[in-house]
Amino acid sequence: MNLESRIRQAKPAYLRANSDQAEAAILDKMLQRETAPVQKRSRIGRGSIAIAAAAAVIICLIGSGFVSPMMASALNQLPLIGGLFGQAGDAGLKTVAEQGMIQNVNTSVTHEGVTFTISDMMYDGTRISMVLTRETSDGKNPPLKKWVDKSRDVYIAALKKDETPSDVIEVRANGVKLAVSRHLASDIAYHHSSILTIQPDVGATGSSAFDLPERFEFEVKIQDATINQEFKLTFPVERTTNQYIVLASEEAKTQGDYDMSISKLEMTEATMQLEVLLHFKAGQEMEPIGDYMNYDIVNERGEVATLLGGTSTPGAAENTYLNVLMFEPFKELPKTLIVKPYKQENTREKQYLKDLEFTLPVISK
């Protein structure tokens, strides 16, 4: 069974797109199989500090899978810098590319015949997405997946030696290191350019949004294990989207031994992000419900938003669990959104929880 298949089996459906948490689960299993037994961490620990420390080091390639040879050939004809938001991005990135809501960074660093370039990028407050390119002086330009695989192997080898490996990708804003999760788009895994998306690590920070100004100095540090070199790319970043709508509900709905509330639902031209808080009665088991709760977002036309990924972690308050999910925005600004929680345990059929549905009118400024 390949790594991607094992990752997809490691978490429930809406968490399978979350590369950092899934990679941590797979890494634990790999180390337990290949090394002496280690003491198991608590699930809550993995949801916060442990995941931030371990999983943030590795970048997974999870998503739409590998491309066909024909598509791979077409992608290799693309310009080395830019152009991928419109070609291979999700619907939100394609929208901002079409509307010109991207920033042309075009910053490069070269060491030992290897050049990393960050070209087009988008920042909307909930995520930072950028085009990352790795070129070699011999012109062969192997796919980024090979670089990722090598970095993962070096990381695992360091852990076995009780060493502390360097993050593959580390980011700073105005000189301050950010606790984030990182994803490389897998639908262009055979091209030496990819879309790198960075989001807040909810487990480590307790927040699903960046606490950053409209403009800031951004630094991306890349550790290339294939040549044992560090690359630093620094450039100014500013919010590139115009729309910012935040919906919330003061109401809490009850099912059994827990309450559910919508902390917020944020919408930009690029992203729609849902934050749900579950509150449990003292003594109730939180984790199974927190992990296996899923959500659909439906507009007044009955259209269902496409899920991009999600995280599940204990909340800041006692007996709470926080679910954060990212969706593609609808093509047109909706008038109403319905949040439909459901379970999908041991079955493909969605079991909607009608008592927990929320209807949110969309009020734009």
Side-chain angles (χ1 to χ4, degrees):
M1 184 182 296
N2 61 32
L3 178 63
E4 183 169 351
S5 296
R6 285 193 279 173
I7 289 172
R8 290 183 179 278
Q9 292 181 5
K11 283 287 182 180
Y14 84 93
L15 288 177
R16 289 174 190 163
N18 184 292
S19 62
D20 296 291
Q21 292 196 21
E23 183 71 44
I26 296 303
L27 183 59
D28 282 346
K29 293 180 181 179
M30 292 173 65
L31 292 178
Q32 289 169 11
R33 184 178 67 249
E34 298 176 3
T35 65
V38 296
Q39 183 178 359
K40 291 185 179 179
R41 299 188 183 98
S42 69
R43 182 64 186 282
I44 291 179
R46 284 203 187 101
S48 53
I49 299 175
I51 287 181
V57 180
I58 294 182
I59 300 171
C60 277
L61 292 158
I62 305 176
S64 59
F66 299 122
V67 295
S68 66
M70 181 179 297
M71 179 61 74
S73 176
L75 286 170
N76 280 314
Q77 302 304 314
L78 293 173
L80 296 180
I81 299 177
L84 291 187
F85 281 168
Q87 295 289 332
D90 56 62
L93 291 179
K94 288 179 179 179
T95 295
V96 295
E98 292 170 358
Q99 296 182 7
M101 296 181 181
I102 57 177
Q103 182 179 343
N104 299 118
V105 178
N106 294 334
T107 299
S108 299
V109 174
T110 301
H111 292 300
E112 298 185 18
V114 174
T115 300
F116 276 96
T117 300
I118 293 176
S119 50
D120 293 346
M121 69 153 296
M122 185 282 305
Y123 169 58
D124 70 346
T126 61
R127 61 168 165 164
I128 300 172
S129 292
M130 63 197 79
V131 176
L132 176 67
T133 301
R134 184 182 184 276
E135 298 177 82
T136 55
S137 57
D138 58 14
K140 294 182 179 179
N141 297 324
L144 278 177
K145 184 179 184 301
K146 290 188 176 181
W147 166 63
V148 170
D149 289 346
K150 177 64 175 178
S151 297
R152 184 183 63 243
D153 293 343
V154 171
Y155 169 71
I156 293 174
L159 284 182
K160 290 179 180 179
K161 297 177 181 178
D162 291 328
E163 297 175 353
T164 302
S166 300
D167 285 359
V168 175
I169 292 182
E170 177 184 304
V171 295
R172 294 176 180 269
N174 292 335
V176 178
K177 183 179 179 180
L178 303 180
V180 297
S181 61
R182 314 151 186 81
H183 317 278
L184 280 174
S186 67
D187 54 351
I188 45 178
Y190 284 108
H191 193 265
H192 57 285
S193 294
S194 187
I195 297 173
L196 170 65
T197 293
I198 293 172
Q199 301 167 247
D201 183 339
V202 180
T205 66
S207 174
S208 61
F210 286 106
D211 183 18
L212 297 172
E214 293 290 311
R215 296 177 178 83
F216 55 91
E217 193 73 10
F218 197 58
E219 178 185 289
V220 180
K221 185 175 75 173
I222 301 171
Q223 185 68 33
D224 192 329
T226 63
I227 59 172
N228 194 28
Q229 268 289 349
E230 181 180 277
F231 295 73
K232 288 185 180 180
L233 298 96
T234 304
F235 48 92
V237 167
E238 60 182 317
R239 187 189 293 266
T240 55
T241 54
N242 298 319
Q243 174 182 289
Y244 184 64
I245 299 173
V246 180
L247 309 179
S249 175
E250 296 180 357
E251 180 183 10
K253 299 196 174 184
T254 302
Q255 167 116 6
D257 294 320
Y258 61 94
D259 298 330
M260 176 183 291
S261 59
I262 305 295
S263 300
K264 59 181 176 179
L265 199 164
E266 299 172 283
M267 290 188 291
T268 73
E269 292 91 343
T271 312
M272 183 164 58
Q273 184 165 269
L274 173 68
E275 185 174 310
V276 176
L277 186 65
L278 300 172
H279 184 273
F280 298 80
K281 293 181 180 178
Q284 296 300 313
E285 189 175 10
M286 298 186 301
E287 295 174 15
I289 297 176
D291 277 351
Y292 290 96
M293 188 71 75
N294 298 262
Y295 305 87
D296 278 342
I297 297 181
V298 184
N299 65 10
E300 70 277 1
R301 299 179 180 179
E303 299 169 332
V304 181
T306 299
L307 177 69
L308 294 175
T311 62
S312 178
T313 181
E318 188 176 359
N319 296 322
T320 61
Y321 219 76
L322 185 66
N323 294 157
V324 178
L325 300 97
M326 181 175 289
F327 298 83
E328 292 182 352
F330 291 106
K331 292 182 180 180
E332 297 180 7
L333 186 66
K335 298 178 181 178
T336 304
L337 292 176
I338 303 174
V339 179
K340 303 180 66 174
Y342 67 90
K343 296 181 181 179
Q344 204 169 13
E345 300 178 69
N346 303 319
T347 177
R348 294 184 178 181
E349 185 176 352
K350 296 180 179 180
Q351 303 172 39
Y352 287 101
L353 306 175
K354 188 70 176 178
D355 291 343
L356 299 179
E357 277 191 11
F358 283 82
T359 299
L360 304 173
V362 178
I363 303 174
S364 60
K365 295 180 179 180

